[in-house]
Amino acid sequence: MTDDGFMGPPWQLDWRLDALADRNALPDHVQKMVSEARAELVTAKDPYFRGIDADSGLPETMHVEPARSSDPKGPRILHFDDHRGWLIYTFDRRHEDPQIVVVEVFWQ
């Protein structure tokens, strides 16, 4: 917990059931990349990666951007494997139990 009473990393992360099924259907080496992306999300100071170069601490193969530029507090896309795959997620910034929810997983 931070000085202002707000919970900080590591964040809780949950999966929508269809996103979890999609993740489990991926090849093992891709599931490992998804796990690495998940680890980056749950340990990020700000899972929305706001600001200029806010995602510069991510590995070179990962990049975060808003799903829609017109919705700055909406879902985010975490690209991994040099943009071959992505996780779409939301971050519910509750004081009691902040949580990241993965709503879609894709890899090609």
Side-chain angles (χ1 to χ4, degrees), residues 22 26 30 34 80 84-88 104-108:
D22 290 344
L26 294 170
V30 178
V34 171
F80 64 93
R84 291 186 64 202
W86 66 75
L87 302 174
I88 298 178
E104 183 179 331
V105 178
F106 178 81
W107 182 79
Q108 58 184 357

Side-chain angles (χ1 to χ4, degrees), residues 1 4 9 18 26 28 30 35 37-38 40 43 49 52 62 65 78 80 82-83 106:
M1 189 172 283
D4 64 358
D18 54 344
L26 294 170
D28 288 340
V30 178
S35 293
R38 178 200 173 279
E40 293 293 338
T43 59
F49 296 92
I52 298 171
M62 294 182 195
E65 63 186 15
L78 176 102
F80 64 93
D82 292 317
H83 286 75
F106 178 81

Side-chain angles (χ1 to χ4, degrees), residues 49-68:
F49 296 92
R50 290 175 273 241
I52 298 171
D53 293 332
D55 63 354
S56 63
L58 290 175
E60 288 184 19
T61 61
M62 294 182 195
H63 173 74
V64 175
E65 63 186 15
R68 280 190 264 162

